[in-house]
Amino acid sequence: MLASGKGSNLAALADACRSGALNASIEIVLSDVEGSGALRIAAERGLAARFIPPGGFSAKLDEEAERAYVAALNDAGVDFVVLTGFMRILKGDFLRAFERRVINIHPSLLPSFPGLAAWRQALEHGVKVTGCTIHLVDQGIDTGRILAQKAVEVREDDTPASLHERIQEAERQLYPLTLARIAEGLLAID
């Protein structure tokens, strides 16, 4: 798992693994934010976890950091790399190292509202339905193959915070279910 933030999706996935709802294991949690909530959640659940500095760029890993992430994931023997709020763009060598094995969740019904603050984009555009999307990561920004989606109604009285909260609730339901389908061979990646 790669995470930058508070770790709510990480917690949902770890709990699904522990309960048996998701027949998988979390081999390592890596974060680009020292002291992130995700690292705290990993420690509370006894998961291997560490901070790896992202380097000098604000939106992506620098080359040295990318090599460190790839090495840590390979050393942990991961089959898939699951992004749970990892706020760095992954490109080039990283994606080649884990081709068609990097999975992300995005807070909109892609292809609508890619990029940052998708819930705010949805409100600004006046849509009546938004949601979340689980997709493979490719060289574009939120352009990879869509694996699953869950709709969330946009209410008249929604604020960015209230809509984002409901989208995150949908994410915590959809992510474990989708990864379970992959683990059981019910959803093919190739």
Side-chain angles (χ1 to χ4, degrees), residues 23 32 37-38 60 64 76 78 84 92 95 108 126 145 151 172 177 179 181 189:
N23 185 18
D32 62 327
K60 67 178 185 173
E64 183 180 334
V78 303
T84 59
L95 293 180
S108 78
R145 179 177 155 224
R172 289 189 294 270
L177 291 173
L179 293 178
R181 291 185 67 221
I189 296 296

Side-chain angles (χ1 to χ4, degrees), residues 43-93:
E44 289 170 356
R45 287 167 170 75
L47 300 171
R50 68 186 247 221
F51 162 69
I52 299 178
F57 299 111
S58 62
K60 67 178 185 173
L61 301 173
D62 70 15
E63 288 181 18
E64 183 180 334
E66 185 177 86
R67 283 191 296 274
Y69 276 80
V70 169
L73 293 165
N74 281 329
D75 288 348
V78 303
D79 294 316
F80 287 92
V81 178
V82 177
L83 309 183
T84 59
F86 191 65
M87 301 308 291
R88 303 271 172 181
I89 297 167
L90 298 173
K91 292 277 188 186
D93 289 340

Side-chain angles (χ1 to χ4, degrees), residues 80 100 136 145-147 181-182 184-190:
F80 287 92
R100 288 187 306 278
L136 292 177
R145 179 177 155 224
I146 292 170
L147 302 175
R181 291 185 67 221
I182 293 168
E184 294 166 14
L186 301 173
L187 177 59
I189 296 296
D190 292 321

Side-chain angles (χ1 to χ4, degrees), residues 100-135:
R100 288 187 306 278
R101 296 187 294 142
V102 181
I103 301 171
N104 187 39
I105 190 156
H106 182 76
S108 78
L109 295 175
L110 291 173
S112 297
F113 313 123
L116 297 174
W119 57 92
R120 188 177 308 277
Q121 293 180 58
L123 280 175
E124 289 170 357
H125 280 82
V127 298
K128 301 301 178 197
V129 176
T130 188
C132 58
T133 301
I134 298 169
H135 65 95

